[in-house]
Amino acid sequence: MIDALTDPFAGGIAQRALLEVILLGAVCGPLGTWIVLYRQSYAAESIAHAALPALVLASLAGLPLILGAAGGLATAGVAIAMAGRVRGIGSDSATAVVVTTMFGAGVLLALRPDAPARLGEILFGDPLGISAGDLTASAGLALAVALGLAVLGRRFRLVAFDPQAATALGASPRRTELALLALLALTTLVAVQALGNLLVVALLIAPGAAALRLASRLPGVLALSVFLAIGAGIAGLYASHYLETAAGASIALAAVGVFVVSLPLGAMRRAS
Amino acid sequence: MSAGNPIRVRNLRGGYVPGRFAIEGIEFEVGAGRLVAVLGPNGGGKTTLFRALLGELPHQKGDISLGERIAYVPQTERARLDFPVSTMDVALMGTYAGAPWYRRLGSERRGRAASALERVGLTQHADTQFGELSGGQRQRALIARALAQDARILLLDEPLSGLDLPSSERVLALLRDLRDSGAILLVATHDIQQSRDFDLVLCLHGVQVAWGVPNEVLSADVLARTYGGELIPVGDGAHAVVIQHHSH
């Protein structure tokens, strides 16, 4: 039994993958909880997808994906802000236009004859491909996100609960929401290598949404979201090892599974 | 104007777009221990006035002088009922300002929140989930949050909206109790009849239509100018019913 638990993580590659999913779970869980509470799940998906062309370009140029993700997220942020300023276009429409444009451009680049062999990695991630350098970069970014969550925790709470009164209580809704989106962009930067452009949203949203169904107080929700996100990450790695499935997709499915299980459990909790 | 009054507003005008005023010609002052009704139709400028008093209106001119700390109490209907917080958590939000992020809230702040809950009669519900409180209890919890801010000027946005009669009376009794302790309460309301029991009334319709004690201010002419076509005169014409097309 012990061997069955430890065998998948016997090698350095799997150990780095394990550390990566622990780092990701520690930030994706609580950040995802705030994303769900702020009803910004669409923004989470959009930000990740908008980074696709820059990821493909980075891959074509042989650069680290994390650099491509950073460039893509910055470009998407500027484009969404500029499109949002066009008279008559709301922020939702601006986001939709920019994201579909950038995702389409990314697909066109990816379908070229000389498309990178790493396209699958870009779209679906590969935690087993994480190098020691990638892990160090992820740890640094994850630490920055965790610090941001700690510093801004009370502001997040004020604005999410009551944006109308938040300013009088000391928190600007606009700045707080921008700070949340900045942390979301940083987290996407951390997660895109392991989970890819398409699957990162699952680990961002599902554990937080599940924790909100299962716990009644915010500190408990945030702690549970970390536990569920890390649990989903580790479960995905086990599934990948024993079922010989793609690791990134397995983690995403495990995260969604956590949410599905939380549906009846949450209903039972509320009924009791 | 008296220099001693905690609220002094002179020639206030402002809005959300430069050069386009949502409110104009607002001029009043309020002493300590007053319950003030702010009457007006939807879009008449009640919320805009509150935002100006809070310093949140993007474009405003004129003078506002506040001698006490100010707090805003929104409509309970707009509060997040699914948010994972207890009644005590909500009261504690009033103590966040200035609290170091790296430290747990100290006993002084917790004591302030507990006192505020006691003041509004919710001590026994301190651990109850906010979303599980009744409408009146939620309104009182939001008032407790304002009290925990040590605010002596409270701006309440339709605090009785959506409440049943017993809950309304309990909230009104609390507002009178706070008034009697020296607080100033500005209450945005549609209820003309209720506002007759307030100390002062401010009537708004983009501009300041009238200001003063209810007996002098609430004439048929003033109400007609305040509400226009939304008002249906009843009986002797000094009483009227407001037709609400929507609430927000």
Side-chain angles (χ1 to χ4, degrees):
Chain A
M1 178 67 184
I2 298 291
D3 288 346
L5 289 173
T6 55
D7 276 356
F9 303 111
I13 289 174
Q15 285 167 8
R16 283 196 295 276
L18 178 64
L19 284 173
E20 177 77 2
V21 299
I22 290 172
L23 282 173
L24 289 182
V27 292
C28 283
L31 180 70
T33 301
W34 287 117
I35 295 290
V36 174
L37 283 171
Y38 275 78
R39 300 186 173 113
Q40 291 280 11
S41 302
Y42 176 60
E45 184 178 12
S46 303
I47 282 177
H49 289 185
L52 181 64
L55 284 167
V56 176
L57 285 173
S59 185
L60 281 167
L63 295 170
L65 288 184
I66 204 161
L67 279 182
L73 292 171
T75 308
V78 170
I80 289 170
M82 286 174 66
R85 293 174 79 112
V86 176
R87 189 179 281 269
I89 298 182
S91 61
D92 272 8
S93 305
T95 306
V97 168
V98 170
V99 168
T100 46
T101 303
M102 295 188 75
F103 197 74
V107 171
L108 278 180
L109 282 170
L111 293 179
R112 281 160 38 126
D114 57 344
R118 296 167 71 195
L119 179 61
E121 185 188 337
I122 292 170
L123 289 174
F124 309 117
D126 182 14
L128 299 174
I130 299 289
S131 68
D134 293 335
L135 194 59
T136 306
S138 292
L141 288 169
L143 193 64
V145 173
L147 188 64
L149 289 171
V151 171
L152 296 167
R154 288 186 188 130
R155 283 171 188 267
F156 284 159
R157 194 183 292 213
L158 287 176
V159 175
F161 176 67
D162 188 354
Q164 281 189 304
T167 307
L169 290 162
S172 155
R174 193 156 175 265
R175 283 184 205 156
T176 303
E177 283 170 17
L178 281 174
L180 180 68
L181 290 177
L183 290 181
L184 172 62
L186 263 184
T187 304
T188 306
L189 206 56
V190 181
V192 81
Q193 290 204 111
L195 295 173
N197 183 259
L198 293 179
L199 299 178
V200 62
V201 181
L203 199 62
L204 260 174
I205 303 303
L212 280 165
R213 293 190 61 79
L214 298 174
S216 56
R217 298 288 154 73
L218 201 49
V221 170
L222 293 171
L224 184 59
S225 71
V226 171
F227 176 78
L228 293 177
I230 292 176
I234 294 173
L237 290 179
Y238 276 120
S240 171
H241 178 84
Y242 286 111
L243 303 176
E244 296 183 359
T245 51
S250 302
I251 292 170
L253 282 176
V256 174
V258 163
F259 177 70
V260 170
V261 170
S262 79
L263 292 174
L265 292 179
M268 283 162 58
R269 186 182 73 83
R270 276 157 213 232
S272 64
Chain B
M1 282 197 172
S2 165
N5 282 331
I7 300 182
R8 287 182 293 142
V9 177
R10 180 176 284 180
N11 194 23
L12 174 66
R13 56 201 185 281
Y16 303 92
V17 180
R20 195 182 299 171
F21 297 131
I23 50 173
E24 282 185 82
I26 311 295
E27 190 149 325
F28 65 93
E29 59 182 284
V30 191
R34 291 286 185 275
L35 186 54
V36 181
V38 182
L39 279 177
N42 290 322
K46 301 189 295 292
T47 303
T48 305
L49 171 64
F50 281 4
R51 289 199 64 184
L53 291 171
L54 290 163
E56 297 173 11
L57 198 60
H59 305 282
Q60 67 183 62
K61 292 182 176 174
D63 296 320
I64 294 176
S65 167
L66 301 175
E68 299 279 1
R69 189 170 292 177
I70 191 165
Y72 176 66
V73 182
Q75 288 181 47
T76 181
E77 288 170 345
R78 295 192 200 176
R80 290 279 300 269
L81 301 187
D82 59 344
F83 202 81
V85 284
S86 67
T87 310
M88 173 57 93
D89 292 331
V90 173
L92 278 169
M93 289 179 190
T95 72
Y96 281 179
W101 64 268
Y102 49 87
R103 252 194 231 152
R104 197 169 173 267
L105 293 173
S107 56
E108 185 274 328
R109 291 174 196 273
R110 292 183 177 279
R112 223 187 314 152
S115 298
L117 283 185
E118 189 179 358
R119 188 77 190 275
V120 303
L122 285 178
T123 300
Q124 72 276 25
H125 291 291
D127 292 328
T128 305
Q129 195 83 350
F130 179 77
E132 292 171 5
L133 297 174
S134 70
Q137 288 170 334
R138 284 200 296 274
Q139 192 65 64
R140 285 188 279 143
L142 295 177
I143 292 171
R145 184 183 63 181
L147 296 177
Q149 284 180 264
D150 277 340
R152 301 290 289 163
I153 301 172
L154 270 60
L155 309 180
L156 298 103
D157 193 356
E158 301 187 26
L160 309 177
S161 171
L163 301 188
D164 57 28
L165 191 59
S167 299
S168 287
E169 285 175 353
R170 180 128 198 211
V171 171
L172 266 177
L174 171 63
L175 300 186
R176 290 194 190 102
D177 179 45
L178 293 171
R179 181 266 315 270
D180 293 344
S181 71
I184 299 175
L185 300 106
L186 267 64
V187 181
T189 177
H190 284 286
D191 195 328
I192 296 167
Q193 196 55 39
Q194 211 159 47
S195 67
R196 293 181 190 281
D197 295 330
F198 283 39
D199 302 317
L200 293 160
V201 178
L202 176 66
C203 294
L204 295 176
H205 192 134
V207 297
Q208 179 171 314
V209 177
W211 163 249
V213 294
N215 283 345
E216 294 173 7
V217 166
L218 295 177
S219 65
D221 173 56
V222 165
L223 292 176
R225 282 192 286 137
T226 302
Y227 285 98
E230 293 187 1
L231 196 75
I232 297 178
V234 177
D236 58 4
H239 295 78
V241 175
V242 176
I243 306 301
Q244 293 186 47
H245 298 296
H246 65 276
S247 63
H248 57 96

